[in-house]
Amino acid sequence: MPLDTESYEISVARSAADLREAVAAWRKEGLSVALVPTMGALHEGHLSLVDQARKNADRTIVSIFVNPTQFAPNEDFSAYPRTEAADAAKLEGKADLIFAPNADDMYPEGFSTTISLTGVSEPLEGTFRPTHFAGVATVVAKLILRAMPDIAIFGEKDWQQLMVIRRMVADLDIPTQILGGPIMREPDGLALSSRNVYLSPEERKSAGQLNVILRETAASVANGASISDATAKGGKRILALGFEKLDYLEIRDSTSLAAFPDDRPTAPARILVAAKIGKTRLIDNMPV
């Protein structure tokens, strides 16, 4: 099937064969290729990754696929925003190709392979969403193996996801460099997310304080406070803002996501949070 060049100004590949044909043509010209995997509903955070891709490669592919295997049965797969036309408009003049397969193309009848990791995938999100990273690792591996890019870029807002993908690529000897893109934030510091649109005005005001508590908690530990004391105090402050549930507020080794046994950082560390306010679950992180 030829590339879809009629619906939008930017070309769209709908199948693995079309994607590989486009990449093969670029390779014949000696061009380097970057991949930016997304689930669509693009915002400035995604577009910053596309800009980063353009600076690091000759051609940029943006995949748009709401991946069913990374959602648990009680999560918002059906409600997740799908805005392909608006996404395509945002990518015009920025990316060279959209890869937008359907679920049957990604997971044809009889599909039975899952990539699962131990270690880095197990704490934090792995505790509260135990099937999530297997879904992420499997779909990212498929996207990379379909496009075979020189680099793939993921946002640092999903820090644990970035570490999981780097681990997977290293373990499986996949010859693609994995880059992280800095977190993009609103003026009050709230990390950009497709789910922010679900916040009511009151919830949005409280959500804007989440990054402040992260920063102050991290600074407390950097100045000598124990991790357990600082995160306990930070957690109480988050709940006092009106968050109904705090899944975690933890400081972990920035690469392995392992806990520090002596209650103080002994290696580069990251503070990570997941908390729910109203119907919206927010995550964020920053270095300690």
Side-chain angles (χ1 to χ4, degrees):
M1 187 175 76
L3 295 181
D4 181 351
T5 56
E6 298 181 1
S7 300
Y8 314 123
E9 293 295 321
I10 185 171
S11 295
V12 181
R14 300 288 183 183
S15 70
D18 293 340
L19 174 64
R20 286 173 173 148
E21 183 178 352
V23 172
W26 293 337
R27 294 299 190 190
K28 285 182 180 179
E29 297 180 47
L31 302 176
S32 58
V33 178
L35 172 67
V36 182
T38 82
M39 293 206 300
L42 303 183
H43 51 63
E44 288 301 318
H46 297 108
L47 298 180
S48 73
L49 303 181
V50 177
D51 290 340
Q52 185 176 345
R54 293 178 67 195
K55 293 175 182 176
N56 284 276
D58 300 313
R59 295 290 183 267
T60 297
I61 303 163
V62 176
S63 66
I64 297 175
F65 178 63
V66 183
N67 177 38
T69 67
Q70 69 191 67
F71 289 81
N74 62 329
E75 293 179 340
D76 58 353
F77 173 71
S78 61
Y80 196 89
R82 291 160 172 82
T83 57
E84 185 181 280
D87 294 340
K90 292 174 183 177
L91 292 171
E92 290 171 12
K94 288 182 171 288
D96 298 285
L97 179 68
I98 293 172
F99 178 48
N102 60 37
D104 290 338
D105 179 74
M106 290 298 289
Y107 302 111
E109 185 177 356
F111 188 89
S112 60
T113 299
T114 299
I115 297 175
S116 61
L117 293 81
T118 57
V120 67
S121 69
E122 293 174 323
L124 306 172
E125 291 296 290
T127 299
F128 289 91
R129 306 175 72 193
T131 64
H132 174 68
F133 285 125
V136 169
T138 302
V139 76
V140 169
K142 285 179 66 70
L143 290 170
I144 290 176
L145 292 172
R146 285 177 169 208
M148 288 307 296
D150 299 280
I151 62 173
I153 303 180
F154 299 81
E156 291 183 355
K157 186 175 81 70
D158 294 289
W159 182 263
Q160 188 174 9
Q161 172 180 277
L162 176 60
M163 296 303 105
V164 165
I165 291 166
R166 283 182 173 164
R167 182 76 266 161
M168 176 192 71
V169 166
D171 288 352
L172 298 182
D173 301 314
I174 298 174
T176 296
Q177 182 183 10
I178 304 300
L179 301 181
I183 299 172
M184 299 294 289
R185 298 183 179 276
E186 300 281 4
D188 64 355
L190 177 65
L192 292 183
S193 169
S194 302
R195 291 182 171 92
N196 289 351
V197 297
Y198 301 144
L199 296 168
S200 70
E202 184 177 346
E203 291 165 355
R204 173 63 185 81
K205 184 177 180 180
S206 295
Q209 292 300 303
L210 193 60
N211 72 100
V212 176
I213 295 173
L214 279 191
R215 189 175 304 108
E216 292 176 352
T217 302
S220 177
V221 171
N223 290 328
S226 69
I227 292 173
S228 57
D229 286 348
T231 54
K233 292 175 181 176
K236 290 178 181 178
R237 292 177 63 192
I238 290 169
L239 293 173
L241 287 172
F243 282 80
E244 292 93 352
K245 185 181 180 186
L246 177 65
D247 283 349
Y248 57 81
L249 174 64
E250 297 196 29
I251 292 175
R252 297 283 186 129
D253 182 286
S254 61
T255 301
S256 70
L257 279 303
F260 292 105
D262 295 326
D263 209 24
R264 282 180 169 76
T266 54
R270 205 92 183 173
I271 184 169
L272 306 101
V273 68
K276 187 173 183 181
I277 186 167
K279 297 181 179 180
T280 308
R281 186 176 186 268
L282 299 176
I283 64 170
D284 201 350
N285 71 87
M286 59 185 63
V288 175

mmCIF file of all heavy atoms in Angstrom, residues 209-238 241 246 248-252 263 265 269-273 286-288:
data_model
loop_
_atom_site.group_PDB
_atom_site.id
_atom_site.type_symbol
_atom_site.label_atom_id
_atom_site.label_comp_id
_atom_site.label_asym_id
_atom_site.label_seq_id
_atom_site.Cartn_x
_atom_site.Cartn_y
_atom_site.Cartn_z
ATOM 1 N N GLN A 209 1.629 22.685 41.926
ATOM 2 C CA GLN A 209 2.518 22.699 43.094
ATOM 3 C C GLN A 209 3.309 21.392 43.236
ATOM 4 O O GLN A 209 4.222 21.306 44.067
ATOM 5 C CB GLN A 209 1.696 22.917 44.370
ATOM 6 C CG GLN A 209 1.080 24.299 44.457
ATOM 7 C CD GLN A 209 2.140 25.385 44.450
ATOM 8 O OE1 GLN A 209 3.029 25.405 45.298
ATOM 9 N NE2 GLN A 209 2.047 26.283 43.490
ATOM 10 N N LEU A 210 2.981 20.399 42.434
ATOM 11 C CA LEU A 210 3.644 19.107 42.561
ATOM 12 C C LEU A 210 5.150 19.226 42.323
ATOM 13 O O LEU A 210 5.966 18.685 43.074
ATOM 14 C CB LEU A 210 3.021 18.116 41.571
ATOM 15 C CG LEU A 210 3.365 16.643 41.750
ATOM 16 C CD1 LEU A 210 2.922 16.130 43.114
ATOM 17 C CD2 LEU A 210 2.702 15.816 40.633
ATOM 18 N N ASN A 211 5.524 19.967 41.293
ATOM 19 C CA ASN A 211 6.951 20.109 40.986
ATOM 20 C C ASN A 211 7.689 20.901 42.057
ATOM 21 O O ASN A 211 8.880 20.680 42.285
ATOM 22 C CB ASN A 211 7.143 20.752 39.611
ATOM 23 C CG ASN A 211 6.791 22.225 39.596
ATOM 24 O OD1 ASN A 211 7.665 23.099 39.666
ATOM 25 N ND2 ASN A 211 5.503 22.534 39.501
ATOM 26 N N VAL A 212 6.973 21.815 42.711
ATOM 27 C CA VAL A 212 7.594 22.601 43.785
ATOM 28 C C VAL A 212 7.966 21.684 44.954
ATOM 29 O O VAL A 212 9.070 21.762 45.510
ATOM 30 C CB VAL A 212 6.639 23.720 44.251
ATOM 31 C CG1 VAL A 212 7.243 24.471 45.438
ATOM 32 C CG2 VAL A 212 6.331 24.671 43.100
ATOM 33 N N ILE A 213 7.047 20.797 45.307
ATOM 34 C CA ILE A 213 7.313 19.863 46.402
ATOM 35 C C ILE A 213 8.443 18.908 46.035
ATOM 36 O O ILE A 213 9.300 18.596 46.878
ATOM 37 C CB ILE A 213 6.024 19.104 46.768
ATOM 38 C CG1 ILE A 213 4.987 20.087 47.323
ATOM 39 C CG2 ILE A 213 6.307 17.998 47.775
ATOM 40 C CD1 ILE A 213 3.615 19.478 47.551
ATOM 41 N N LEU A 214 8.466 18.455 44.797
ATOM 42 C CA LEU A 214 9.577 17.605 44.350
ATOM 43 C C LEU A 214 10.911 18.316 44.528
ATOM 44 O O LEU A 214 11.872 17.750 45.068
ATOM 45 C CB LEU A 214 9.409 17.238 42.875
ATOM 46 C CG LEU A 214 8.485 16.101 42.471
ATOM 47 C CD1 LEU A 214 8.698 15.776 41.006
ATOM 48 C CD2 LEU A 214 8.706 14.870 43.314
ATOM 49 N N ARG A 215 10.969 19.547 44.046
ATOM 50 C CA ARG A 215 12.223 20.293 44.092
ATOM 51 C C ARG A 215 12.670 20.525 45.535
ATOM 52 O O ARG A 215 13.857 20.370 45.864
ATOM 53 C CB ARG A 215 12.046 21.630 43.365
ATOM 54 C CG ARG A 215 13.345 22.403 43.146
ATOM 55 C CD ARG A 215 13.102 23.651 42.324
ATOM 56 N NE ARG A 215 12.472 23.344 41.039
ATOM 57 C CZ ARG A 215 11.210 23.609 40.732
ATOM 58 N NH1 ARG A 215 10.421 24.202 41.628
ATOM 59 N NH2 ARG A 215 10.722 23.286 39.555
ATOM 60 N N GLU A 216 11.745 20.880 46.393
ATOM 61 C CA GLU A 216 12.100 21.168 47.784
ATOM 62 C C GLU A 216 12.462 19.897 48.544
ATOM 63 O O GLU A 216 13.356 19.914 49.397
ATOM 64 C CB GLU A 216 10.950 21.921 48.460
ATOM 65 C CG GLU A 216 10.769 23.330 47.883
ATOM 66 C CD GLU A 216 9.575 24.070 48.465
ATOM 67 O OE1 GLU A 216 8.793 23.444 49.214
ATOM 68 O OE2 GLU A 216 9.420 25.278 48.161
ATOM 69 N N THR A 217 11.809 18.789 48.217
ATOM 70 C CA THR A 217 12.152 17.519 48.848
ATOM 71 C C THR A 217 13.536 17.060 48.407
ATOM 72 O O THR A 217 14.353 16.605 49.234
ATOM 73 C CB THR A 217 11.106 16.438 48.495
ATOM 74 O OG1 THR A 217 9.813 16.880 48.916
ATOM 75 C CG2 THR A 217 11.428 15.125 49.172
ATOM 76 N N ALA A 218 13.818 17.187 47.121
ATOM 77 C CA ALA A 218 15.139 16.825 46.618
ATOM 78 C C ALA A 218 16.221 17.690 47.248
ATOM 79 O O ALA A 218 17.292 17.196 47.628
ATOM 80 C CB ALA A 218 15.178 16.956 45.095
ATOM 81 N N ALA A 219 15.944 18.982 47.386
ATOM 82 C CA ALA A 219 16.922 19.887 47.992
ATOM 83 C C ALA A 219 17.177 19.526 49.445
ATOM 84 O O ALA A 219 18.311 19.606 49.931
ATOM 85 C CB ALA A 219 16.435 21.328 47.883
ATOM 86 N N SER A 220 16.132 19.111 50.153
ATOM 87 C CA SER A 220 16.288 18.703 51.547
ATOM 88 C C SER A 220 17.238 17.523 51.673
ATOM 89 O O SER A 220 18.122 17.507 52.542
ATOM 90 C CB SER A 220 14.911 18.348 52.130
ATOM 91 O OG SER A 220 15.023 17.880 53.461
ATOM 92 N N VAL A 221 17.093 16.540 50.800
ATOM 93 C CA VAL A 221 17.981 15.378 50.825
ATOM 94 C C VAL A 221 19.397 15.766 50.411
ATOM 95 O O VAL A 221 20.385 15.317 51.006
ATOM 96 C CB VAL A 221 17.421 14.257 49.926
ATOM 97 C CG1 VAL A 221 18.434 13.119 49.765
ATOM 98 C CG2 VAL A 221 16.114 13.721 50.508
ATOM 99 N N ALA A 222 19.505 16.623 49.411
ATOM 100 C CA ALA A 222 20.831 17.080 48.979
ATOM 101 C C ALA A 222 21.550 17.822 50.098
ATOM 102 O O ALA A 222 22.790 17.816 50.166
ATOM 103 C CB ALA A 222 20.697 17.968 47.752
ATOM 104 N N ASN A 223 20.776 18.439 51.002
ATOM 105 C CA ASN A 223 21.360 19.177 52.122
ATOM 106 C C ASN A 223 21.551 18.334 53.375
ATOM 107 O O ASN A 223 21.880 18.868 54.438
ATOM 108 C CB ASN A 223 20.497 20.400 52.439
ATOM 109 C CG ASN A 223 20.574 21.463 51.361
ATOM 110 O OD1 ASN A 223 21.614 21.616 50.716
ATOM 111 N ND2 ASN A 223 19.483 22.183 51.148
ATOM 112 N N GLY A 224 21.293 17.019 53.267
ATOM 113 C CA GLY A 224 21.634 16.131 54.372
ATOM 114 C C GLY A 224 20.498 15.397 55.043
ATOM 115 O O GLY A 224 20.727 14.534 55.892
ATOM 116 N N ALA A 225 19.236 15.727 54.699
ATOM 117 C CA ALA A 225 18.117 15.010 55.310
ATOM 118 C C ALA A 225 18.083 13.569 54.807
ATOM 119 O O ALA A 225 18.533 13.272 53.699
ATOM 120 C CB ALA A 225 16.803 15.702 54.975
ATOM 121 N N SER A 226 17.547 12.674 55.612
ATOM 122 C CA SER A 226 17.401 11.294 55.165
ATOM 123 C C SER A 226 16.299 11.206 54.116
ATOM 124 O O SER A 226 15.358 12.014 54.107
ATOM 125 C CB SER A 226 17.076 10.378 56.334
ATOM 126 O OG SER A 226 15.768 10.634 56.822
ATOM 127 N N ILE A 227 16.422 10.235 53.237
ATOM 128 C CA ILE A 227 15.427 10.064 52.182
ATOM 129 C C ILE A 227 14.049 9.791 52.773
ATOM 130 O O ILE A 227 13.050 10.392 52.356
ATOM 131 C CB ILE A 227 15.852 8.919 51.243
ATOM 132 C CG1 ILE A 227 17.095 9.327 50.444
ATOM 133 C CG2 ILE A 227 14.714 8.530 50.304
ATOM 134 C CD1 ILE A 227 17.697 8.210 49.617
ATOM 135 N N SER A 228 13.971 8.914 53.760
ATOM 136 C CA SER A 228 12.669 8.536 54.315
ATOM 137 C C SER A 228 11.976 9.715 54.975
ATOM 138 O O SER A 228 10.766 9.912 54.805
ATOM 139 C CB SER A 228 12.828 7.386 55.310
ATOM 140 O OG SER A 228 13.726 7.730 56.350
ATOM 141 N N ASP A 229 12.713 10.526 55.732
ATOM 142 C CA ASP A 229 12.104 11.681 56.392
ATOM 143 C C ASP A 229 11.629 12.708 55.372
ATOM 144 O O ASP A 229 10.512 13.238 55.464
ATOM 145 C CB ASP A 229 13.090 12.326 57.364
ATOM 146 C CG ASP A 229 13.285 11.521 58.640
ATOM 147 O OD1 ASP A 229 12.481 10.586 58.869
ATOM 148 O OD2 ASP A 229 14.229 11.812 59.397
ATOM 149 N N ALA A 230 12.480 12.999 54.402
ATOM 150 C CA ALA A 230 12.146 14.031 53.422
ATOM 151 C C ALA A 230 10.949 13.629 52.560
ATOM 152 O O ALA A 230 10.052 14.439 52.307
ATOM 153 C CB ALA A 230 13.356 14.326 52.539
ATOM 154 N N THR A 231 10.926 12.367 52.129
ATOM 155 C CA THR A 231 9.822 11.938 51.274
ATOM 156 C C THR A 231 8.519 11.788 52.064
ATOM 157 O O THR A 231 7.430 12.022 51.517
ATOM 158 C CB THR A 231 10.157 10.625 50.553
ATOM 159 O OG1 THR A 231 10.559 9.628 51.509
ATOM 160 C CG2 THR A 231 11.284 10.835 49.545
ATOM 161 N N ALA A 232 8.610 11.431 53.353
ATOM 162 C CA ALA A 232 7.398 11.371 54.179
ATOM 163 C C ALA A 232 6.775 12.756 54.309
ATOM 164 O O ALA A 232 5.551 12.920 54.185
ATOM 165 C CB ALA A 232 7.724 10.799 55.553
ATOM 166 N N LYS A 233 7.602 13.758 54.555
ATOM 167 C CA LYS A 233 7.097 15.132 54.662
ATOM 168 C C LYS A 233 6.538 15.613 53.323
ATOM 169 O O LYS A 233 5.484 16.250 53.263
ATOM 170 C CB LYS A 233 8.204 16.058 55.150
ATOM 171 C CG LYS A 233 8.620 15.806 56.590
ATOM 172 C CD LYS A 233 9.806 16.683 56.981
ATOM 173 C CE LYS A 233 10.246 16.405 58.429
ATOM 174 N NZ LYS A 233 11.458 17.181 58.801
ATOM 175 N N GLY A 234 7.251 15.299 52.239
ATOM 176 C CA GLY A 234 6.780 15.704 50.915
ATOM 177 C C GLY A 234 5.459 15.043 50.570
ATOM 178 O O GLY A 234 4.566 15.671 49.989
ATOM 179 N N GLY A 235 5.312 13.772 50.932
ATOM 180 C CA GLY A 235 4.069 13.063 50.659
ATOM 181 C C GLY A 235 2.881 13.684 51.372
ATOM 182 O O GLY A 235 1.784 13.805 50.795
ATOM 183 N N LYS A 236 3.076 14.079 52.618
ATOM 184 C CA LYS A 236 1.998 14.737 53.361
ATOM 185 C C LYS A 236 1.600 16.055 52.702
ATOM 186 O O LYS A 236 0.409 16.403 52.640
ATOM 187 C CB LYS A 236 2.436 14.972 54.800
ATOM 188 C CG LYS A 236 2.546 13.697 55.632
ATOM 189 C CD LYS A 236 3.027 14.011 57.043
ATOM 190 C CE LYS A 236 3.161 12.725 57.874
ATOM 191 N NZ LYS A 236 3.677 13.001 59.225
ATOM 192 N N ARG A 237 2.568 16.780 52.194
ATOM 193 C CA ARG A 237 2.271 18.051 51.521
ATOM 194 C C ARG A 237 1.478 17.820 50.237
ATOM 195 O O ARG A 237 0.559 18.600 49.917
ATOM 196 C CB ARG A 237 3.574 18.788 51.202
ATOM 197 C CG ARG A 237 4.327 19.301 52.427
ATOM 198 C CD ARG A 237 5.644 19.943 52.010
ATOM 199 N NE ARG A 237 5.428 21.114 51.170
ATOM 200 C CZ ARG A 237 6.404 21.725 50.483
ATOM 201 N NH1 ARG A 237 7.642 21.244 50.539
ATOM 202 N NH2 ARG A 237 6.133 22.776 49.746
ATOM 203 N N ILE A 238 1.800 16.760 49.507
ATOM 204 C CA ILE A 238 1.072 16.452 48.276
ATOM 205 C C ILE A 238 -0.386 16.122 48.583
ATOM 206 O O ILE A 238 -1.312 16.632 47.937
ATOM 207 C CB ILE A 238 1.758 15.290 47.528
ATOM 208 C CG1 ILE A 238 3.103 15.762 46.954
ATOM 209 C CG2 ILE A 238 0.865 14.741 46.410
ATOM 210 C CD1 ILE A 238 3.981 14.648 46.418
ATOM 211 N N LEU A 241 -2.596 19.042 49.336
ATOM 212 C CA LEU A 241 -3.005 19.857 48.187
ATOM 213 C C LEU A 241 -4.352 19.424 47.624
ATOM 214 O O LEU A 241 -4.953 20.141 46.826
ATOM 215 C CB LEU A 241 -1.953 19.759 47.076
ATOM 216 C CG LEU A 241 -0.634 20.490 47.270
ATOM 217 C CD1 LEU A 241 0.330 20.106 46.151
ATOM 218 C CD2 LEU A 241 -0.856 22.005 47.281
ATOM 219 N N LEU A 246 -1.509 8.974 46.756
ATOM 220 C CA LEU A 246 -0.084 9.082 46.433
ATOM 221 C C LEU A 246 0.443 7.664 46.222
ATOM 222 O O LEU A 246 0.566 6.899 47.175
ATOM 223 C CB LEU A 246 0.667 9.773 47.575
ATOM 224 C CG LEU A 246 2.186 9.892 47.412
ATOM 225 C CD1 LEU A 246 2.538 10.790 46.231
ATOM 226 C CD2 LEU A 246 2.818 10.420 48.702
ATOM 227 N N TYR A 248 3.462 6.853 44.924
ATOM 228 C CA TYR A 248 4.824 6.853 45.458
ATOM 229 C C TYR A 248 5.434 8.247 45.356
ATOM 230 O O TYR A 248 5.078 9.047 44.495
ATOM 231 C CB TYR A 248 5.716 5.830 44.726
ATOM 232 C CG TYR A 248 5.810 6.011 43.220
ATOM 233 C CD1 TYR A 248 6.665 6.947 42.633
ATOM 234 C CD2 TYR A 248 5.052 5.216 42.368
ATOM 235 C CE1 TYR A 248 6.756 7.082 41.265
ATOM 236 C CE2 TYR A 248 5.131 5.343 40.994
ATOM 237 C CZ TYR A 248 5.983 6.294 40.445
ATOM 238 O OH TYR A 248 6.059 6.441 39.078
ATOM 239 N N LEU A 249 6.318 8.524 46.281
ATOM 240 C CA LEU A 249 7.237 9.653 46.228
ATOM 241 C C LEU A 249 8.543 9.092 46.760
ATOM 242 O O LEU A 249 8.679 8.865 47.961
ATOM 243 C CB LEU A 249 6.755 10.825 47.089
ATOM 244 C CG LEU A 249 7.754 11.994 47.193
ATOM 245 C CD1 LEU A 249 7.983 12.652 45.831
ATOM 246 C CD2 LEU A 249 7.299 13.013 48.232
ATOM 247 N N GLU A 250 9.481 8.822 45.860
ATOM 248 C CA GLU A 250 10.686 8.113 46.246
ATOM 249 C C GLU A 250 11.913 8.705 45.572
ATOM 250 O O GLU A 250 11.825 9.304 44.499
ATOM 251 C CB GLU A 250 10.571 6.624 45.905
ATOM 252 C CG GLU A 250 9.453 5.917 46.662
ATOM 253 C CD GLU A 250 9.584 4.407 46.612
ATOM 254 O OE1 GLU A 250 10.731 3.918 46.508
ATOM 255 O OE2 GLU A 250 8.548 3.728 46.677
ATOM 256 N N ILE A 251 13.034 8.504 46.224
ATOM 257 C CA ILE A 251 14.326 8.876 45.655
ATOM 258 C C ILE A 251 15.092 7.597 45.390
ATOM 259 O O ILE A 251 15.304 6.789 46.299
ATOM 260 C CB ILE A 251 15.098 9.822 46.592
ATOM 261 C CG1 ILE A 251 14.376 11.173 46.666
ATOM 262 C CG2 ILE A 251 16.542 9.996 46.128
ATOM 263 C CD1 ILE A 251 14.971 12.155 47.639
ATOM 264 N N ARG A 252 15.487 7.404 44.140
ATOM 265 C CA ARG A 252 16.093 6.159 43.697
ATOM 266 C C ARG A 252 17.363 6.427 42.888
ATOM 267 O O ARG A 252 17.573 7.525 42.387
ATOM 268 C CB ARG A 252 15.102 5.382 42.818
ATOM 269 C CG ARG A 252 13.820 4.942 43.544
ATOM 270 C CD ARG A 252 14.094 3.749 44.410
ATOM 271 N NE ARG A 252 12.911 3.184 45.038
ATOM 272 C CZ ARG A 252 12.581 1.890 44.985
ATOM 273 N NH1 ARG A 252 13.325 1.050 44.300
ATOM 274 N NH2 ARG A 252 11.521 1.445 45.627
ATOM 275 N N ASP A 263 19.558 4.965 53.247
ATOM 276 C CA ASP A 263 18.622 6.087 53.393
ATOM 277 C C ASP A 263 19.211 7.413 52.967
ATOM 278 O O ASP A 263 18.680 8.470 53.294
ATOM 279 C CB ASP A 263 18.104 6.155 54.835
ATOM 280 C CG ASP A 263 16.693 6.746 54.909
ATOM 281 O OD1 ASP A 263 15.962 6.679 53.901
ATOM 282 O OD2 ASP A 263 16.334 7.275 55.980
ATOM 283 N N PRO A 265 21.478 9.152 49.384
ATOM 284 C CA PRO A 265 22.010 8.851 48.050
ATOM 285 C C PRO A 265 23.511 8.594 48.089
ATOM 286 O O PRO A 265 24.264 9.336 48.725
ATOM 287 C CB PRO A 265 21.691 10.118 47.248
ATOM 288 C CG PRO A 265 20.627 10.823 48.013
ATOM 289 C CD PRO A 265 20.877 10.498 49.448
ATOM 290 N N ALA A 269 21.059 10.409 41.752
ATOM 291 C CA ALA A 269 19.727 10.019 42.212
ATOM 292 C C ALA A 269 18.649 10.822 41.506
ATOM 293 O O ALA A 269 18.888 11.916 40.974
ATOM 294 C CB ALA A 269 19.615 10.200 43.718
ATOM 295 N N ARG A 270 17.444 10.271 41.533
ATOM 296 C CA ARG A 270 16.269 10.904 40.929
ATOM 297 C C ARG A 270 15.127 10.826 41.912
ATOM 298 O O ARG A 270 14.936 9.805 42.576
ATOM 299 C CB ARG A 270 15.892 10.146 39.654
ATOM 300 C CG ARG A 270 15.129 10.979 38.631
ATOM 301 C CD ARG A 270 16.082 11.620 37.665
ATOM 302 N NE ARG A 270 15.354 12.469 36.723
ATOM 303 C CZ ARG A 270 15.956 13.266 35.852
ATOM 304 N NH1 ARG A 270 17.275 13.316 35.790
ATOM 305 N NH2 ARG A 270 15.252 14.023 35.031
ATOM 306 N N ILE A 271 14.359 11.887 42.042
ATOM 307 C CA ILE A 271 13.134 11.846 42.831
ATOM 308 C C ILE A 271 11.978 11.674 41.861
ATOM 309 O O ILE A 271 11.902 12.357 40.827
ATOM 310 C CB ILE A 271 12.966 13.105 43.708
ATOM 311 C CG1 ILE A 271 11.716 12.966 44.586
ATOM 312 C CG2 ILE A 271 12.943 14.390 42.890
ATOM 313 C CD1 ILE A 271 11.623 14.027 45.676
ATOM 314 N N LEU A 272 11.097 10.726 42.165
ATOM 315 C CA LEU A 272 9.998 10.383 41.265
ATOM 316 C C LEU A 272 8.690 10.333 42.039
ATOM 317 O O LEU A 272 8.658 9.900 43.195
ATOM 318 C CB LEU A 272 10.243 9.018 40.595
ATOM 319 C CG LEU A 272 11.571 8.859 39.864
ATOM 320 C CD1 LEU A 272 12.554 8.075 40.728
ATOM 321 C CD2 LEU A 272 11.389 8.159 38.525
ATOM 322 N N VAL A 273 7.607 10.767 41.385
ATOM 323 C CA VAL A 273 6.306 10.810 42.039
ATOM 324 C C VAL A 273 5.217 10.346 41.086
ATOM 325 O O VAL A 273 5.316 10.543 39.866
ATOM 326 C CB VAL A 273 5.984 12.237 42.546
ATOM 327 C CG1 VAL A 273 5.771 13.199 41.391
ATOM 328 C CG2 VAL A 273 4.771 12.242 43.472
ATOM 329 N N MET A 286 12.676 14.579 38.814
ATOM 330 C CA MET A 286 13.780 15.500 38.580
ATOM 331 C C MET A 286 15.015 14.967 39.301
ATOM 332 O O MET A 286 14.902 14.129 40.192
ATOM 333 C CB MET A 286 13.434 16.922 39.043
ATOM 334 C CG MET A 286 13.083 17.063 40.495
ATOM 335 S SD MET A 286 12.550 18.775 40.910
ATOM 336 C CE MET A 286 11.075 18.977 39.911
ATOM 337 N N PRO A 287 16.200 15.432 38.888
ATOM 338 C CA PRO A 287 17.412 14.961 39.572
ATOM 339 C C PRO A 287 17.497 15.494 40.976
ATOM 340 O O PRO A 287 16.944 16.538 41.310
ATOM 341 C CB PRO A 287 18.538 15.512 38.689
ATOM 342 C CG PRO A 287 17.950 16.647 37.953
ATOM 343 C CD PRO A 287 16.496 16.341 37.776
ATOM 344 N N VAL A 288 18.195 14.760 41.836
ATOM 345 C CA VAL A 288 18.441 15.182 43.215
ATOM 346 C C VAL A 288 19.806 15.857 43.263
ATOM 347 O O VAL A 288 20.805 15.244 42.872
ATOM 348 C CB VAL A 288 18.399 13.984 44.172
ATOM 349 C CG1 VAL A 288 18.771 14.422 45.592
ATOM 350 C CG2 VAL A 288 17.017 13.361 44.155
#
